[in-house]
Amino acid sequence: LETYNLYEKGIEDLIISADKVAHVQLNNPLEHAMLILIKSGYSSIPVLDSEFKLQGLISQPLILDSILGIERIEFEKLGQYVVKDVMNREIPFINENEGFFKALKLAIDNPFLCVVDDAHTFKGILTRRTLLKFVNRYLHE
Amino acid sequence: LETYNLYEKGIEDLIISADKVAHVQLNNPLEHAMLILIKSGYSSIPVLDSEFKLQGLISQPLILDSILGIERIEFEKLGQYVVKDVMNREIPFINENEGFFKALKLAIDNPFLCVVDDAHTFKGILTRRTLLKFVNRYLHE
Ligand SMILES: Nc1ncnc2c1ncn2[C@@H]1O[C@@H]2COP(=O)(O)O[C@H]3[C@@H](O)[C@H](n4cnc5c(N)ncnc54)O[C@@H]3COP(=O)(O)O[C@H]2[C@H]1O
Ligand SMILES: Nc1ncnc2c1ncn2[C@@H]1O[C@@H]2COP(=O)(O)O[C@H]3[C@@H](O)[C@H](n4cnc5c(N)ncnc54)O[C@@H]3COP(=O)(O)O[C@H]2[C@H]1O
């Protein structure tokens, strides 16, 4: 049983490491991103560049909005555009050295946070699920 | 400053009341549900019947999957099918008399919970956002 001072708790043990996170690359065609989203089942996932730096977020609504024509969804465009054309560049992120309370505050308005190091290299994600699981355990001790 | 015994805390003050919740009816055409989802901006919303009883959940992926033909998304079907044809009948719900810890446990695996009374009438929803906001305040006191 750890005696916790939550004000001193870091976020390392709450991170889902990068190798477990579904993601796409800047230059992937939207078709590929669509497949990854459907297969992984996740609604929104990180976009990385070739140096594993965090660049944006992509989601199905974002892709569908971008290929919505006047009369129909123009599916042929899925092969013409790439992820960086439509991704959301506003990414809720947190530095791996930040504390528990900073993560909790950011999670109030964001389903997940992208964790980065000082060079903005992608280290993993921190989800509301993981935070709630930790809080539930903590409040029971 | 309230002295909390979380084991005795109810969920009433954490509920977003029904009148603030975007929802659809069992017999609405998928086209109408699609519009409500896009306009409200929510990814998944409750389905109610004419007596305001909770019947299911509907989301954009659920609708799109149901009209996915072999070659294209068959948009004409949006006018032919209704919500109850495609909704998810597995609803994460909680009774309005339940306690805080029950809500916290259920929120670990569910982005939101539908709150019902003993007659299964829809009273509102309880979201991860509201729980995290409460927990953040509680842990700071
Ligand atoms: N395959 C699966 N297995 C079990 N439960 C699943 C699941 N897919 C979704 N869920 C449940 O649904 C919640 C919302 O998922 P969503 O994909 O919209 O939203 C996700 C997604 O956008 C992102 N995410 C989570 N895990 C990810 C991963 N391994 N790779 C990429 N993105 C991830 O973080 C958001 C919040 O995730 P969180 O776990 O808090 O909350 C998840 C989780 O409770
Ligand atoms: N219009 C808006 N204004 C401000 N923030 C917004 C927003 N739309 C979405 N968000 C943010 O995105 C999170 C995920 O929303 P989502 O629609 O996928 O998932 C939502 C949605 O499925 C449902 N939900 C929340 N409020 C709702 C409402 N008023 N009516 C219907 N469904 C609602 O509960 C899920 C979790 O909501 P939660 O608040 O924990 O978490 C929300 C919130 O933090």
Side-chain angles (χ1 to χ4, degrees):
Chain A
L1 217 79
E2 303 182 50
T3 20
Y4 265 121
N5 175 2
L6 284 183
Y7 286 93
E8 290 174 8
K9 176 172 176 55
I11 61 170
E12 315 84 31
D13 58 343
L14 301 175
I15 299 171
I16 294 169
S17 61
D19 58 311
K20 297 206 176 68
V21 178
H23 67 269
V24 291
Q25 289 272 328
L26 282 175
N27 288 313
N28 289 151
L30 292 190
E31 195 164 39
H32 175 85
M34 205 55 173
L35 253 134
I36 300 283
L37 285 163
I38 292 174
K39 281 178 48 178
S40 70
Y42 294 115
S43 62
S44 175
I45 60 180
V47 180
L48 310 180
D49 64 21
S50 48
E51 314 205 316
F52 231 68
K53 303 249 185 290
L54 184 59
Q55 294 288 351
L57 292 184
I58 191 79
S59 68
Q60 268 202 39
L62 222 49
I63 295 177
L64 291 172
D65 277 358
S66 71
I67 59 168
L68 194 59
I70 309 246
E71 301 206 339
R72 61 187 180 88
I73 291 197
E74 295 167 10
F75 284 101
E76 59 278 14
K77 294 215 160 110
L78 284 177
Q80 297 172 17
Y81 296 147
V82 292
V83 168
K84 78 169 186 275
D85 297 330
V86 310
M87 71 187 186
N88 181 357
R89 286 152 197 267
E90 273 184 48
I91 315 153
F93 71 93
I94 186 170
N95 184 290
E96 59 183 348
N97 296 315
E98 291 281 8
F100 166 77
F101 274 124
K102 170 112 198 199
L104 183 58
K105 182 160 201 291
L106 287 170
I108 288 170
D109 286 313
N110 298 290
F112 72 103
L113 312 170
C114 293
V115 184
V116 296
D117 64 14
D118 292 336
H120 221 62
T121 305
F122 180 67
K123 310 302 286 184
I125 59 177
L126 213 160
T127 62
R128 278 174 169 171
R129 177 175 192 281
T130 311
L131 276 164
L132 289 163
K133 208 168 172 186
F134 169 77
V135 164
N136 186 44
R137 225 178 50 227
Y138 174 83
L139 291 175
H140 276 109
E141 288 164 10
Chain B
L1 218 78
E2 302 181 52
T3 18
Y4 264 119
N5 175 3
L6 285 183
Y7 286 92
E8 290 174 8
K9 177 173 176 56
I11 60 170
E12 315 85 31
D13 59 341
L14 300 175
I15 300 172
I16 294 170
S17 61
D19 58 310
K20 295 205 177 70
V21 177
H23 67 270
V24 290
Q25 289 271 330
L26 282 176
N27 290 311
N28 289 151
L30 291 190
E31 197 163 36
H32 176 84
M34 204 59 171
L35 254 135
I36 301 283
L37 285 163
I38 293 173
K39 281 179 45 179
S40 70
Y42 293 115
S43 63
S44 174
I45 61 180
V47 180
L48 310 179
D49 64 21
S50 49
E51 315 205 316
F52 231 69
K53 302 249 185 289
L54 186 58
Q55 294 288 350
L57 292 184
I58 192 78
S59 67
Q60 269 202 38
L62 221 51
I63 296 176
L64 291 171
D65 278 358
S66 73
I67 60 169
L68 195 58
I70 309 247
E71 299 207 342
R72 59 187 182 88
I73 292 197
E74 295 166 10
F75 284 102
E76 58 277 13
K77 294 216 160 107
L78 285 177
Q80 296 171 18
Y81 296 147
V82 292
V83 168
K84 79 170 186 276
D85 297 330
V86 310
M87 70 188 185
N88 181 356
R89 286 156 196 266
E90 275 185 46
I91 315 155
F93 72 91
I94 186 170
N95 186 290
E96 60 182 348
N97 297 314
E98 291 281 5
F100 166 77
F101 274 123
K102 171 113 197 198
L104 184 58
K105 182 161 201 292
L106 286 170
I108 289 171
D109 286 314
N110 298 290
F112 72 103
L113 312 170
C114 293
V115 184
V116 296
D117 63 15
D118 294 336
H120 221 61
T121 305
F122 181 67
K123 311 301 285 182
I125 60 176
L126 215 160
T127 62
R128 278 173 169 172
R129 177 175 191 280
T130 310
L131 276 163
L132 289 162
K133 209 169 170 185
F134 168 77
V135 164
N136 187 43
R137 223 176 54 225
Y138 174 84
L139 291 175
H140 277 107
E141 286 164 10

